[in-house]
């Protein structure tokens, strides 16, 4: 029983770290939003594993669900107004 | 019995990690979003098995919220897709 729980915890920790790094490092906004949603899901699993079901509930509801939907609609509004996004590096070079 | 349930949890978590690959290098946005949806479904299964394995009935509620909010993000994505298509036609 212990070894399986260890595998579970190590997989959760590893994927959490990888997801957090990818979410911050990616330059594609849509990809970052999806990675953020998945990060919220894995985070809720981690809270559930840590015996904190109420925090897992809040994380799944707010972190993954609501924030994900809000970020998606915000990205839609931005893209409709300004067209496809230009990378920030070129904008910095121009100004 | 607990051992078997935990083994299933590990297998499901491995499939979730495999889904991460599709999120990372899915060519289109639909691939990424569908992988996220699949991971939400897998998360529900993991929580149900885990609540039985470590005997925490409260995790059932978390599974319920998971299932509910996977639908919300799916709807938001479809709305975005629709808005982009009609925006291009104008």
């Amino acid at each position: 029983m212990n070894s399986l729980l260890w595998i579970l915890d190590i997989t959760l920790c590893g994927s959490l770290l990888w997801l957090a790094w990818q979410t911050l490092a990616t330059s594609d906004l849509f990809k970052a939003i999806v990675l953020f949603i998945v990060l919220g899901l894995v985070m809720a699993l981690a809270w559930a594993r840590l015996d904190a079901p109420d925090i897992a509930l809040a994380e799944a509801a707010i972190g993954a669900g609501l924030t994900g939907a809000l970020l998606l609609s915000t990205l839609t509004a931005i893209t409709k107004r300004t067209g496809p996004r230009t990378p920030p590096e070129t904008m910095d070079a121009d100004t | 019995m607990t051992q078997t349930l935990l083994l299933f949890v590990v297998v499901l978590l491995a499939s979730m990690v495999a889904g991460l690959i599709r999120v990372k290098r899915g060519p289109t946005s639909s691939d990424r979003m569908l992988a996220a949806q699949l991971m939400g479904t897998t998360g529900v299964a993991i929580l149900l098995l885990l609540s039985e394995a470590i005997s925490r009935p409260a995790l059932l509620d978390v599974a319920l919220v998971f299932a509910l909010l996977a639908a919300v993000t799916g709807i938001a994505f479809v709305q975005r897709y629709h808005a982009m298509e009609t925006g291009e036609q104008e």
Side-chain angles (χ1 to χ4, degrees):
Chain A
M1 171 169 176
N2 257 339
S3 66
L4 280 176
L5 280 180
W6 265 104
I7 296 175
L8 199 69
D9 294 349
I10 290 174
T11 317
L12 274 179
C13 285
S15 51
L16 265 180
L17 284 175
W18 186 83
L19 275 169
W21 178 58
Q22 285 292 323
T23 309
L24 289 177
T26 183
S27 60
D28 183 7
L29 279 183
F30 181 81
K31 192 175 164 187
I33 291 174
V34 174
L35 280 168
F36 182 78
I37 294 172
V38 176
L39 175 74
L41 291 180
V42 181
M43 197 73 207
L45 283 183
W47 284 124
R49 177 71 194 91
L50 285 169
D51 267 352
D54 40 359
I55 307 182
L57 210 65
E59 176 69 43
I62 302 171
L66 279 185
T67 316
L70 286 178
L71 284 175
L72 272 177
S73 61
T74 307
L75 181 62
T76 310
I78 291 175
T79 322
K80 268 172 80 174
R81 188 161 305 171
T82 64
R85 171 178 164 271
T86 51
E89 300 89 43
T90 55
M91 282 168 63
D92 284 343
D94 286 341
T95 49
Chain B
M1 190 59 192
T2 307
Q3 193 77 13
T4 321
L5 289 179
L6 278 179
L7 185 67
F8 285 153
V9 171
V10 169
V11 170
L12 281 174
L13 200 66
S15 92
M16 218 168 160
V17 171
L20 284 181
I21 299 171
R22 185 48 64 193
V23 174
K24 170 96 170 75
R25 35 176 292 203
T28 66
S29 53
S30 307
D31 289 327
R32 297 208 167 95
M33 203 61 213
L34 279 177
Q37 294 290 312
L38 175 72
M39 290 168 80
T41 313
T42 317
V44 173
I46 288 177
L47 282 171
L48 290 178
L49 286 175
L50 201 65
S51 80
E52 199 65 31
I54 62 177
S55 57
R56 297 278 185 281
L59 292 187
L60 294 179
D61 296 340
V62 185
L64 206 63
V65 173
F66 250 60
L68 190 70
L69 288 161
V72 171
T73 43
I75 290 169
F77 174 70
V78 173
Q79 224 176 15
R80 167 185 158 78
Y81 203 79
H82 186 69
M84 303 291 275
E85 260 191 354
T86 49
E88 275 173 13
Q89 279 169 5
E90 279 168 8

mmCIF file of all heavy atoms in Angstrom, chain A residues 64-94:
data_model
loop_
_atom_site.group_PDB
_atom_site.id
_atom_site.type_symbol
_atom_site.label_atom_id
_atom_site.label_comp_id
_atom_site.label_asym_id
_atom_site.label_seq_id
_atom_site.Cartn_x
_atom_site.Cartn_y
_atom_site.Cartn_z
ATOM 1 N N ALA A 64 -9.749 25.879 -11.380
ATOM 2 C CA ALA A 64 -9.795 25.237 -12.690
ATOM 3 C C ALA A 64 -11.015 25.693 -13.478
ATOM 4 O O ALA A 64 -10.901 26.085 -14.633
ATOM 5 C CB ALA A 64 -9.802 23.727 -12.521
ATOM 6 N N GLY A 65 -12.198 25.681 -12.863
ATOM 7 C CA GLY A 65 -13.412 25.900 -13.625
ATOM 8 C C GLY A 65 -13.665 27.344 -13.975
ATOM 9 O O GLY A 65 -13.613 27.737 -15.144
ATOM 10 N N LEU A 66 -13.911 28.170 -12.957
ATOM 11 C CA LEU A 66 -14.335 29.548 -13.219
ATOM 12 C C LEU A 66 -13.228 30.364 -13.863
ATOM 13 O O LEU A 66 -13.442 31.047 -14.863
ATOM 14 C CB LEU A 66 -14.778 30.207 -11.915
ATOM 15 C CG LEU A 66 -16.199 29.880 -11.475
ATOM 16 C CD1 LEU A 66 -16.559 30.685 -10.259
ATOM 17 C CD2 LEU A 66 -17.160 30.178 -12.613
ATOM 18 N N THR A 67 -12.009 30.290 -13.286
ATOM 19 C CA THR A 67 -10.922 31.089 -13.839
ATOM 20 C C THR A 67 -10.598 30.671 -15.262
ATOM 21 O O THR A 67 -10.312 31.519 -16.114
ATOM 22 C CB THR A 67 -9.681 30.966 -12.947
ATOM 23 O OG1 THR A 67 -10.073 31.076 -11.598
ATOM 24 C CG2 THR A 67 -8.679 32.019 -13.268
ATOM 25 N N GLY A 68 -10.658 29.367 -15.521
ATOM 26 C CA GLY A 68 -10.392 28.898 -16.878
ATOM 27 C C GLY A 68 -11.395 29.472 -17.869
ATOM 28 O O GLY A 68 -11.015 29.984 -18.929
ATOM 29 N N ALA A 69 -12.687 29.412 -17.505
ATOM 30 C CA ALA A 69 -13.718 29.936 -18.403
ATOM 31 C C ALA A 69 -13.561 31.439 -18.596
ATOM 32 O O ALA A 69 -13.664 31.953 -19.723
ATOM 33 C CB ALA A 69 -15.099 29.615 -17.840
ATOM 34 N N LEU A 70 -13.271 32.151 -17.509
ATOM 35 C CA LEU A 70 -13.110 33.613 -17.610
ATOM 36 C C LEU A 70 -11.906 33.969 -18.474
ATOM 37 O O LEU A 70 -11.973 34.880 -19.317
ATOM 38 C CB LEU A 70 -12.948 34.207 -16.216
ATOM 39 C CG LEU A 70 -14.225 34.270 -15.379
ATOM 40 C CD1 LEU A 70 -13.934 34.836 -14.016
ATOM 41 C CD2 LEU A 70 -15.251 35.121 -16.086
ATOM 42 N N LEU A 71 -10.788 33.245 -18.284
ATOM 43 C CA LEU A 71 -9.590 33.539 -19.087
ATOM 44 C C LEU A 71 -9.849 33.262 -20.558
ATOM 45 O O LEU A 71 -9.410 34.030 -21.433
ATOM 46 C CB LEU A 71 -8.415 32.699 -18.588
ATOM 47 C CG LEU A 71 -7.760 33.145 -17.294
ATOM 48 C CD1 LEU A 71 -6.694 32.156 -16.875
ATOM 49 C CD2 LEU A 71 -7.145 34.509 -17.473
ATOM 50 N N LEU A 72 -10.593 32.177 -20.838
ATOM 51 C CA LEU A 72 -10.895 31.863 -22.236
ATOM 52 C C LEU A 72 -11.729 32.963 -22.880
ATOM 53 O O LEU A 72 -11.444 33.393 -24.006
ATOM 54 C CB LEU A 72 -11.640 30.539 -22.315
ATOM 55 C CG LEU A 72 -10.790 29.284 -22.409
ATOM 56 C CD1 LEU A 72 -11.672 28.059 -22.399
ATOM 57 C CD2 LEU A 72 -9.968 29.300 -23.677
ATOM 58 N N SER A 73 -12.744 33.448 -22.177
ATOM 59 C CA SER A 73 -13.590 34.491 -22.793
ATOM 60 C C SER A 73 -12.815 35.798 -22.901
ATOM 61 O O SER A 73 -13.019 36.559 -23.850
ATOM 62 C CB SER A 73 -14.885 34.670 -22.013
ATOM 63 O OG SER A 73 -14.611 35.077 -20.707
ATOM 64 N N THR A 74 -11.908 36.055 -21.952
ATOM 65 C CA THR A 74 -11.074 37.254 -22.068
ATOM 66 C C THR A 74 -10.170 37.187 -23.294
ATOM 67 O O THR A 74 -10.027 38.168 -24.030
ATOM 68 C CB THR A 74 -10.206 37.398 -20.809
ATOM 69 O OG1 THR A 74 -11.038 37.337 -19.678
ATOM 70 C CG2 THR A 74 -9.446 38.686 -20.831
ATOM 71 N N LEU A 75 -9.589 36.001 -23.517
ATOM 72 C CA LEU A 75 -8.725 35.848 -24.692
ATOM 73 C C LEU A 75 -9.511 36.036 -25.979
ATOM 74 O O LEU A 75 -9.023 36.652 -26.936
ATOM 75 C CB LEU A 75 -8.068 34.459 -24.657
ATOM 76 C CG LEU A 75 -7.119 34.168 -25.789
ATOM 77 C CD1 LEU A 75 -5.960 35.137 -25.768
ATOM 78 C CD2 LEU A 75 -6.604 32.753 -25.722
ATOM 79 N N THR A 76 -10.754 35.533 -25.989
ATOM 80 C CA THR A 76 -11.595 35.732 -27.165
ATOM 81 C C THR A 76 -11.845 37.210 -27.416
ATOM 82 O O THR A 76 -11.746 37.685 -28.555
ATOM 83 C CB THR A 76 -12.930 35.012 -26.972
ATOM 84 O OG1 THR A 76 -12.688 33.673 -26.565
ATOM 85 C CG2 THR A 76 -13.719 35.009 -28.248
ATOM 86 N N ALA A 77 -12.157 37.944 -26.357
ATOM 87 C CA ALA A 77 -12.427 39.377 -26.504
ATOM 88 C C ALA A 77 -11.185 40.109 -27.004
ATOM 89 O O ALA A 77 -11.265 40.949 -27.899
ATOM 90 C CB ALA A 77 -12.881 39.949 -25.158
ATOM 91 N N ILE A 78 -10.024 39.765 -26.454
ATOM 92 C CA ILE A 78 -8.777 40.427 -26.873
ATOM 93 C C ILE A 78 -8.493 40.143 -28.340
ATOM 94 O O ILE A 78 -8.171 41.050 -29.121
ATOM 95 C CB ILE A 78 -7.609 39.943 -25.995
ATOM 96 C CG1 ILE A 78 -7.758 40.459 -24.581
ATOM 97 C CG2 ILE A 78 -6.285 40.393 -26.573
ATOM 98 C CD1 ILE A 78 -6.721 39.915 -23.650
ATOM 99 N N THR A 79 -8.650 38.854 -28.740
ATOM 100 C CA THR A 79 -8.328 38.488 -30.117
ATOM 101 C C THR A 79 -9.294 39.143 -31.095
ATOM 102 O O THR A 79 -8.905 39.544 -32.192
ATOM 103 C CB THR A 79 -8.377 36.961 -30.266
ATOM 104 O OG1 THR A 79 -7.860 36.367 -29.104
ATOM 105 C CG2 THR A 79 -7.581 36.522 -31.464
ATOM 106 N N LYS A 80 -10.573 39.271 -30.696
ATOM 107 C CA LYS A 80 -11.537 39.893 -31.603
ATOM 108 C C LYS A 80 -11.241 41.378 -31.769
ATOM 109 O O LYS A 80 -11.438 41.952 -32.831
ATOM 110 C CB LYS A 80 -12.953 39.697 -31.053
ATOM 111 C CG LYS A 80 -13.624 38.448 -31.581
ATOM 112 C CD LYS A 80 -14.920 38.191 -30.888
ATOM 113 C CE LYS A 80 -16.045 39.043 -31.439
ATOM 114 N NZ LYS A 80 -17.331 38.662 -30.818
ATOM 115 N N ARG A 81 -10.740 42.001 -30.709
ATOM 116 C CA ARG A 81 -10.517 43.451 -30.783
ATOM 117 C C ARG A 81 -9.226 43.786 -31.525
ATOM 118 O O ARG A 81 -9.197 44.682 -32.353
ATOM 119 C CB ARG A 81 -10.468 44.024 -29.371
ATOM 120 C CG ARG A 81 -10.435 45.519 -29.336
ATOM 121 C CD ARG A 81 -10.858 46.033 -27.987
ATOM 122 N NE ARG A 81 -12.175 45.525 -27.605
ATOM 123 C CZ ARG A 81 -12.689 45.689 -26.398
ATOM 124 N NH1 ARG A 81 -12.008 46.298 -25.466
ATOM 125 N NH2 ARG A 81 -13.889 45.240 -26.119
ATOM 126 N N THR A 82 -8.165 43.084 -31.231
ATOM 127 C CA THR A 82 -6.867 43.487 -31.758
ATOM 128 C C THR A 82 -6.311 42.545 -32.806
ATOM 129 O O THR A 82 -5.209 42.761 -33.282
ATOM 130 C CB THR A 82 -5.850 43.562 -30.615
ATOM 131 O OG1 THR A 82 -5.695 42.248 -30.077
ATOM 132 C CG2 THR A 82 -6.306 44.490 -29.516
ATOM 133 N N GLY A 83 -7.058 41.481 -33.176
ATOM 134 C CA GLY A 83 -6.526 40.531 -34.126
ATOM 135 C C GLY A 83 -5.542 39.606 -33.436
ATOM 136 O O GLY A 83 -5.347 39.698 -32.226
ATOM 137 N N PRO A 84 -4.925 38.704 -34.219
ATOM 138 C CA PRO A 84 -3.966 37.777 -33.622
ATOM 139 C C PRO A 84 -2.842 38.530 -32.916
ATOM 140 O O PRO A 84 -2.359 39.552 -33.394
ATOM 141 C CB PRO A 84 -3.447 36.989 -34.824
ATOM 142 C CG PRO A 84 -4.521 37.100 -35.833
ATOM 143 C CD PRO A 84 -5.153 38.430 -35.617
ATOM 144 N N ARG A 85 -2.477 37.984 -31.780
ATOM 145 C CA ARG A 85 -1.572 38.691 -30.887
ATOM 146 C C ARG A 85 -0.152 38.695 -31.441
ATOM 147 O O ARG A 85 0.348 37.718 -31.973
ATOM 148 C CB ARG A 85 -1.591 37.967 -29.546
ATOM 149 C CG ARG A 85 -0.588 38.415 -28.565
ATOM 150 C CD ARG A 85 -0.801 37.610 -27.308
ATOM 151 N NE ARG A 85 0.332 37.689 -26.439
ATOM 152 C CZ ARG A 85 1.351 36.879 -26.469
ATOM 153 N NH1 ARG A 85 1.392 35.922 -27.364
ATOM 154 N NH2 ARG A 85 2.345 36.983 -25.618
ATOM 155 N N THR A 86 0.504 39.874 -31.320
ATOM 156 C CA THR A 86 1.910 39.926 -31.721
ATOM 157 C C THR A 86 2.781 39.586 -30.516
ATOM 158 O O THR A 86 2.443 39.938 -29.397
ATOM 159 C CB THR A 86 2.276 41.331 -32.212
ATOM 160 O OG1 THR A 86 1.846 42.259 -31.219
ATOM 161 C CG2 THR A 86 1.615 41.652 -33.517
ATOM 162 N N PRO A 87 3.907 38.933 -30.731
ATOM 163 C CA PRO A 87 4.759 38.580 -29.605
ATOM 164 C C PRO A 87 5.270 39.827 -28.900
ATOM 165 O O PRO A 87 5.559 40.847 -29.548
ATOM 166 C CB PRO A 87 5.907 37.812 -30.260
ATOM 167 C CG PRO A 87 5.379 37.371 -31.578
ATOM 168 C CD PRO A 87 4.398 38.409 -31.993
ATOM 169 N N PRO A 88 5.375 39.802 -27.580
ATOM 170 C CA PRO A 88 5.774 41.006 -26.844
ATOM 171 C C PRO A 88 7.201 41.452 -27.149
ATOM 172 O O PRO A 88 7.511 42.630 -26.999
ATOM 173 C CB PRO A 88 5.636 40.582 -25.376
ATOM 174 C CG PRO A 88 5.589 39.104 -25.388
ATOM 175 C CD PRO A 88 5.022 38.704 -26.694
ATOM 176 N N GLU A 89 8.044 40.534 -27.631
ATOM 177 C CA GLU A 89 9.446 40.919 -27.869
ATOM 178 C C GLU A 89 9.547 41.970 -28.972
ATOM 179 O O GLU A 89 10.267 42.948 -28.861
ATOM 180 C CB GLU A 89 10.289 39.703 -28.260
ATOM 181 C CG GLU A 89 10.331 38.593 -27.221
ATOM 182 C CD GLU A 89 9.215 37.592 -27.396
ATOM 183 O OE1 GLU A 89 8.962 37.226 -28.543
ATOM 184 O OE2 GLU A 89 8.600 37.205 -26.402
ATOM 185 N N THR A 90 8.750 41.734 -30.065
ATOM 186 C CA THR A 90 8.817 42.672 -31.180
ATOM 187 C C THR A 90 8.231 44.030 -30.794
ATOM 188 O O THR A 90 8.706 45.064 -31.240
ATOM 189 C CB THR A 90 8.058 42.110 -32.385
ATOM 190 O OG1 THR A 90 6.733 41.816 -31.966
ATOM 191 C CG2 THR A 90 8.708 40.859 -32.904
ATOM 192 N N MET A 91 7.177 43.991 -29.912
ATOM 193 C CA MET A 91 6.598 45.252 -29.480
ATOM 194 C C MET A 91 7.619 46.060 -28.672
ATOM 195 O O MET A 91 7.716 47.272 -28.810
ATOM 196 C CB MET A 91 5.361 45.000 -28.624
ATOM 197 C CG MET A 91 4.136 44.630 -29.457
ATOM 198 S SD MET A 91 2.796 44.017 -28.459
ATOM 199 C CE MET A 91 2.461 45.448 -27.462
ATOM 200 N N ASP A 92 8.386 45.349 -27.862
ATOM 201 C CA ASP A 92 9.396 46.037 -27.068
ATOM 202 C C ASP A 92 10.483 46.638 -27.968
ATOM 203 O O ASP A 92 10.998 47.722 -27.707
ATOM 204 C CB ASP A 92 10.038 45.079 -26.066
ATOM 205 C CG ASP A 92 9.113 44.820 -24.882
ATOM 206 O OD1 ASP A 92 8.169 45.618 -24.699
ATOM 207 O OD2 ASP A 92 9.316 43.827 -24.187
ATOM 208 N N ALA A 93 10.808 45.892 -29.044
ATOM 209 C CA ALA A 93 11.873 46.369 -29.920
ATOM 210 C C ALA A 93 11.441 47.638 -30.666
ATOM 211 O O ALA A 93 12.252 48.512 -30.955
ATOM 212 C CB ALA A 93 12.247 45.275 -30.916
ATOM 213 N N ASP A 94 10.116 47.725 -30.988
ATOM 214 C CA ASP A 94 9.648 48.874 -31.747
ATOM 215 C C ASP A 94 9.651 50.151 -30.906
ATOM 216 O O ASP A 94 9.996 51.215 -31.400
ATOM 217 C CB ASP A 94 8.226 48.610 -32.270
ATOM 218 C CG ASP A 94 8.243 47.636 -33.420
ATOM 219 O OD1 ASP A 94 9.331 47.463 -34.020
ATOM 220 O OD2 ASP A 94 7.204 47.041 -33.719
#
